Amino acid sequence: MEKSILITGAARSGKSALAERLALRPLGRAVYVATAEAWDDEMRDRIAAHQARRGAEWDNRHAPRDLVDMLIETDGDAPRLVDCLTLWLTNLMLGDADWRSEGERLAAALMHQKAPVIFVTNEVGAGIVPENRLAREFRDAAGWLNQTVAQACDTVILCVAGYPVRVKPNDFDF
Amino acid sequence: MEKSILITGAARSGKSALAERLALRPLGRAVYVATAEAWDDEMRDRIAAHQARRGAEWDNRHAPRDLVDMLIETDGDAPRLVDCLTLWLTNLMLGDADWRSEGERLAAALMHQKAPVIFVTNEVGAGIVPENRLAREFRDAAGWLNQTVAQACDTVILCVAGYPVRVKPNDFDF
Amino acid sequence: MEKSILITGAARSGKSALAERLALRPLGRAVYVATAEAWDDEMRDRIAAHQARRGAEWDNRHAPRDLVDMLIETDGDAPRLVDCLTLWLTNLMLGDADWRSEGERLAAALMHQKAPVIFVTNEVGAGIVPENRLAREFRDAAGWLNQTVAQACDTVILCVAGYPVRVKPNDFDF
């Protein structure tokens, strides 16, 4: 098993740019696994802005729901960048899929991957408790998914203002 | 005085599970001080889910408002886990109590405790400024309480995706 | 060029008090550059509470929009504390200014400053995605500005419960 990395942080904290640097570092090329569904124009603009940063060194794939199968299918020598887990979770929840089973399948599949996977995810639970019940369920699910994937990764990074803060492994004795 | 610990972080970042491990480490048993009021079914479900994780090694107590007295009453050899400060603050504010005096009493009382106290709290101020005035007052109060208790603790931990990031003490020279 | 510092963190996480200590450390006096516009009574109260903490060692200035000119004008021997970048950004956006150009001008100007600048900013992107489109645009802009200023600073600090967590420089090899 190769080393996998989870990059979390606030919106616009530089997670994707950092993930791209890390994914290209070993070979100069990598597989980009987008999870976003282009539901509306705003999302289409965001996807276009992200793609504009990427060149020919990227093999672009799209896995809004079948992420585990996509990782199995693309497991060769090149790192895979999954951007991002929170959009994947959104798609699963909106499609009434069993997101908890899918999250556990993802963590289990990571153990058998030959090439590394770099995941981008989001911190969504550090604001005031949302009044909207669906929003509360989503932030609970996102927190659970982040913990579940973090356990299966060798490295966890918190991105702050474009810079990485080490979360796992660390020298904190517990 | 024994070492006290403040564990903060986003919702569902693994704070409670980490706090439980730390509380049981010295003796294999500890006092669990719940602060939640079961206002509605959703909260009752959350409390039940948290209790389901705890076995006979826990002496379960309930202190939705009189937390300082509870800490004095339970100060023996076993660590106390307080879960959590933000719900305690919510109860004080909803009951029109003087939360600022209570927070200062809590920090002062910590200085005289023989057994350690492990506090769970929440980061609630890292989202967009809430439109609701009460929500703004709550996040200001929660930030103040976190700072006040952090000063009285030996260790402060930020929990991210289930892993601890060291906040206090650290090697940052200021 | 002297060392500049960016201090970010949640609301009420102790950023301003830490920034004030850092600004006064070299000479015992510093320039305070407030960016807040007193739009309403609540904001006036917040400004007054912040000012009450500051004594005669502070040279108080006000730059709700012309922050770059203010830094050039006050560049002598004493550190400047800018509190805060998110309010400056708010003023630029509400005034329909070209905030992106202003942010880039700010980062470029930092390179030529003789005296240090300590910036306070806010983490606003770690909650649930806001339903309000303007709020989403603001948090994207704030994240971009934080990254842009962080790149031009020698030190970046995340403030948690009143204590600094090192973000830049760090020992994380990337």
Side-chain angles (χ1 to χ4, degrees):
Chain A
M1 187 194 67
E2 265 289 340
K3 309 259 177 199
S4 287
I5 303 174
L6 178 69
I7 302 177
T8 190
R12 292 291 179 276
S13 61
K15 304 179 301 290
S16 293
L18 173 63
E20 291 172 19
R21 287 202 307 277
L22 292 176
L24 292 175
R25 203 167 49 169
L27 301 178
R29 59 187 168 76
V31 179
Y32 186 92
V33 182
T35 60
E37 288 273 47
W39 300 102
D40 57 22
D41 286 349
E42 188 182 349
M43 187 57 84
R44 246 183 293 276
D45 290 350
R46 280 181 180 249
I47 294 172
H50 271 236
Q51 285 181 334
R53 233 197 353 243
R54 294 192 303 273
E57 64 276 30
W58 292 96
D59 173 7
N60 287 299
R61 307 295 183 102
H62 191 219
R65 264 166 296 265
D66 298 331
L67 177 58
V68 181
D69 294 342
M70 178 60 78
L71 291 180
I72 293 168
E73 183 188 324
T74 57
D75 191 19
D77 60 343
R80 274 76 42 86
L81 193 173
V82 176
D83 196 350
C84 66
L85 284 179
T86 22
L87 287 173
W88 179 61
L89 178 65
T90 303
N91 297 337
L92 292 176
M93 291 178 93
L94 290 177
D96 271 327
D98 183 349
W99 54 267
R100 199 173 278 269
S101 299
E102 283 296 300
E104 284 164 358
R105 252 186 88 213
L106 174 61
L110 274 182
M111 300 297 163
H112 305 291
Q113 292 280 303
K114 293 192 295 284
V117 187
I118 293 134
F119 294 97
V120 172
T121 191
N122 285 270
E123 291 295 301
V124 299
I128 283 289
V129 178
E131 287 175 45
N132 177 323
R133 178 162 191 145
L134 277 177
R136 289 198 300 278
E137 288 177 359
F138 178 75
R139 71 175 203 157
D140 284 356
W144 174 86
L145 181 61
N146 286 352
Q147 288 188 53
T148 301
V149 176
Q151 281 189 317
C153 286
D154 303 272
T155 303
V156 178
I157 292 166
L158 175 68
C159 209
V160 179
Y163 292 90
V165 174
R166 183 196 297 271
V167 174
K168 175 188 179 180
N170 66 40
D171 64 348
F172 215 157
D173 170 37
F174 281 115
Chain B
M1 187 194 68
E2 266 288 341
K3 311 259 178 199
S4 287
I5 302 173
L6 178 69
I7 301 177
T8 189
R12 291 292 178 276
S13 61
K15 305 179 299 292
S16 293
L18 173 62
E20 290 171 19
R21 289 203 304 277
L22 292 176
L24 293 176
R25 203 166 48 167
L27 301 178
R29 59 186 167 76
V31 179
Y32 185 92
V33 182
T35 60
E37 287 272 47
W39 300 102
D40 57 23
D41 286 350
E42 189 183 347
M43 187 57 83
R44 247 182 291 276
D45 290 351
R46 279 181 181 250
I47 294 172
H50 271 236
Q51 284 182 335
R53 235 199 348 245
R54 295 192 303 272
E57 64 275 30
W58 292 96
D59 174 7
N60 287 299
R61 306 295 183 103
H62 190 218
R65 264 166 296 265
D66 298 330
L67 176 59
V68 181
D69 294 342
M70 179 60 79
L71 291 180
I72 292 168
E73 183 187 323
T74 58
D75 191 18
D77 59 343
R80 275 77 42 85
L81 192 174
V82 176
D83 196 349
C84 67
L85 284 180
T86 22
L87 287 173
W88 179 60
L89 178 66
T90 302
N91 298 337
L92 293 176
M93 291 179 93
L94 290 176
D96 270 327
D98 183 351
W99 55 266
R100 199 173 278 270
S101 299
E102 283 296 301
E104 285 164 357
R105 253 185 89 213
L106 174 60
L110 275 183
M111 301 296 163
H112 305 290
Q113 292 281 303
K114 292 191 296 283
V117 186
I118 294 135
F119 294 97
V120 172
T121 190
N122 285 270
E123 290 296 301
V124 299
I128 283 288
V129 179
E131 288 175 44
N132 177 324
R133 179 164 189 143
L134 278 177
R136 288 199 300 278
E137 289 176 0
F138 178 75
R139 71 174 204 159
D140 284 356
W144 174 86
L145 181 61
N146 285 352
Q147 288 189 53
T148 301
V149 175
Q151 281 189 315
C153 285
D154 303 273
T155 302
V156 179
I157 292 166
L158 175 68
C159 210
V160 178
Y163 291 90
V165 173
R166 182 195 297 271
V167 174
K168 175 189 180 181
N170 66 41
D171 63 347
F172 216 157
D173 170 36
F174 281 116
Chain C
M1 188 194 67
E2 265 289 341
K3 310 258 178 201
S4 287
I5 302 173
L6 178 69
I7 302 177
T8 190
R12 291 292 178 274
S13 61
K15 304 180 301 291
S16 293
L18 173 62
E20 291 171 18
R21 289 202 305 278
L22 292 176
L24 293 175
R25 202 167 50 167
L27 302 177
R29 59 187 167 77
V31 179
Y32 185 92
V33 182
T35 60
E37 288 272 47
W39 300 102
D40 58 22
D41 286 350
E42 187 182 349
M43 187 56 84
R44 249 183 291 277
D45 290 351
R46 279 180 181 249
I47 294 172
H50 271 236
Q51 285 182 335
R53 234 199 350 247
R54 295 193 303 272
E57 64 276 30
W58 292 97
D59 174 8
N60 287 300
R61 306 295 183 102
H62 190 219
R65 264 166 296 264
D66 298 330
L67 177 59
V68 181
D69 294 342
M70 179 60 79
L71 291 180
I72 292 168
E73 183 187 323
T74 57
D75 191 19
D77 61 342
R80 275 76 43 85
L81 193 173
V82 176
D83 197 350
C84 65
L85 284 180
T86 22
L87 287 174
W88 179 61
L89 178 66
T90 302
N91 297 338
L92 292 177
M93 291 179 93
L94 290 177
D96 271 327
D98 183 350
W99 54 267
R100 199 174 278 269
S101 296
E102 284 296 301
E104 285 164 357
R105 252 185 88 213
L106 174 61
L110 275 182
M111 300 298 163
H112 305 291
Q113 292 280 303
K114 292 192 295 283
V117 186
I118 293 135
F119 294 97
V120 172
T121 190
N122 286 270
E123 290 296 300
V124 300
I128 283 288
V129 178
E131 288 175 44
N132 177 324
R133 178 163 188 144
L134 278 176
R136 288 199 299 278
E137 288 177 359
F138 179 74
R139 70 174 205 159
D140 284 356
W144 175 86
L145 181 61
N146 285 353
Q147 289 189 52
T148 301
V149 175
Q151 281 190 315
C153 285
D154 302 273
T155 303
V156 178
I157 292 166
L158 176 67
C159 209
V160 178
Y163 292 90
V165 173
R166 183 196 297 271
V167 174
K168 175 187 178 181
N170 66 40
D171 64 347
F172 216 156
D173 171 36
F174 282 116

